[in-house]
């Protein structure tokens, strides 16, 4: 099993460019998440998908859109990149059980720089 | 007040000592608590989770939870240089929450 995979690993964009970060998991998890991590800020939730066909905003959704393409794949799109979106982006997945144990497994991250 | 708070550190301990990492959270109804370890340039990995008040031990790691004080801690016994990393406290806020909220993390440095 590959676990959670993310592409690309590194990306440099110019302000105003768009791009899509890809995430896939092969653990049959129902819930998937996108986080960004900035120095001194910990991980902040951008969007999540509790199950296939649903998406919800997290703490910092502005400037992003997501698509839960199927149970395995959850993509994050930046429509018009801004320098404030320079960050490390992590995708995570879990098998969500209400009120139960919800270990999240993380992908290797995408390091994005917006010039 | 942040929902999950940690001292950013760095916390420096000598090899073989006990490292104590602390975390407080805002929502009294929270039920699930996690400690993740993150090495520099890597993704977070789960090392402990705890649901019930009291202590939970796993090898050199002990998680402690006090819901009345809204406080969770991680003790690392016999600290090794390989334990040097950032430790992230994460909480599923509220009784029926489905989102993890992370603290900013504490940097631990174990000196040999």
């Amino acid at each position: 099993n590959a676990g959670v995979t993310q592409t690309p690993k590194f990306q440099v964009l110019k302000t105003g460019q768009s791009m899509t970060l890809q995430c896939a998991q092969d653990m049959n998890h129902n819930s998937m998440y996108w986080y960004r991590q900035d120095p001194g800020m910990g991980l902040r939730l951008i969007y999540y998908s509790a199950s296939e066909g649903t998406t919800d905003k997290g703490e910092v959704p502005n400037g992003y859109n997501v698509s839960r393409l199927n149970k395995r794949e959850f993509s994050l799109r930046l429509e018009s990149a801004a320098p404030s979106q320079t960050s490390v982006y992590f995708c995570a997945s879990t098998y969500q059980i209400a009120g139960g144990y919800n270990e999240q497994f993380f992908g290797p991250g995408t390091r994005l720089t917006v010039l | 007040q942040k929902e999950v708070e940690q001292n950013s550190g760095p916390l420096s301990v000598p090899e073989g000592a006990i490292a104590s990492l602390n975390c407080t959270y805002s929502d009294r109804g929270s039920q699930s608590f996690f400690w993740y370890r993150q090495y520099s340039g890597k993704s977070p990995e789960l090392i402990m989770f705890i649901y019930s008040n009291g202590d939970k031990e796993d090898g050199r790691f002990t998680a402690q939870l006090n819901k009345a004080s809204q406080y969770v801690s991680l003790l690392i016994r016999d600290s090794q240089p390989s334990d040097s990393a950032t430790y992230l406290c994460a909480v599923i806020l509220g009784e029926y929450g489905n989102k993890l909220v992370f603290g900013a993390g504490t940097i631990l440095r174990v000196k040999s």
Side-chain angles (χ1 to χ4, degrees):
Chain A
N1 288 349
V4 181
T5 57
Q6 291 183 237
T7 55
K9 287 187 168 54
F10 300 92
Q11 184 70 50
V12 178
L13 293 177
K14 294 181 180 177
T15 297
Q17 287 185 316
S18 62
M19 79 162 296
T20 299
L21 282 63
Q22 306 287 353
C23 174
Q25 53 88 13
D26 62 1
M27 295 176 283
N28 201 34
H29 287 165
N30 55 354
S31 298
M32 298 184 73
Y33 306 80
W34 276 106
Y35 296 90
R36 60 177 289 173
Q37 186 173 36
D38 303 295
M41 300 289 289
L43 288 154
R44 292 184 293 169
L45 183 64
I46 305 171
Y47 270 94
Y48 69 102
S49 172
S51 61
E52 188 178 354
T54 69
T55 60
D56 286 287
K57 294 178 180 179
E59 181 185 355
V60 288
N62 291 344
Y64 305 95
N65 284 299
V66 290
S67 295
R68 182 74 182 267
L69 304 169
N70 47 55
K71 191 172 186 180
R72 293 185 62 250
E73 298 172 289
F74 189 37
S75 63
L76 178 72
R77 182 159 178 84
L78 286 70
E79 291 291 352
S80 179
S84 61
Q85 294 179 303
T86 293
S87 188
V88 180
Y89 291 85
F90 288 102
C91 177
S93 71
T94 189
Y95 189 76
Q96 182 75 34
I97 303 173
Y101 168 43
N102 293 312
E103 176 183 2
Q104 292 192 10
F105 294 84
F106 286 81
T110 294
R111 283 148 184 80
L112 175 67
T113 301
V114 183
L115 301 175
Chain B
Q1 181 191 4
K2 291 183 181 178
E3 294 174 308
V4 180
E5 294 207 60
Q6 295 180 255
N7 189 324
S8 62
L11 173 67
S12 292
V13 300
E15 184 176 357
I18 296 175
S20 177
L21 304 161
N22 304 315
C23 173
T24 59
Y25 58 95
S26 61
D27 191 321
R28 184 172 292 278
S30 300
Q31 300 292 326
S32 304
F33 308 87
F34 304 83
W35 283 100
Y36 281 82
R37 177 177 62 200
Q38 186 176 26
Y39 291 113
S40 180
K42 302 296 185 182
S43 55
E45 56 178 340
L46 183 71
I47 53 173
M48 290 286 288
F49 66 92
I50 186 167
Y51 294 154
S52 304
N53 273 329
D55 295 358
K56 179 182 179 183
E57 187 174 319
D58 184 0
R60 296 187 296 112
F61 299 97
T62 299
Q64 299 175 317
L65 175 61
N66 183 325
K67 291 184 179 179
S69 300
Q70 295 173 235
Y71 175 94
V72 58
S73 64
L74 179 70
L75 301 178
I76 306 174
R77 291 182 299 281
D78 187 24
S79 296
Q80 301 297 310
S82 59
D83 294 325
S84 297
T86 298
Y87 289 81
L88 300 166
C89 173
V91 179
I92 296 182
L93 291 178
E95 190 172 357
Y96 303 107
N98 62 357
K99 295 177 289 184
L100 269 182
V101 178
F102 285 83
T106 299
I107 298 170
L108 173 65
R109 294 180 182 154
V110 181
K111 298 185 176 181
S112 57

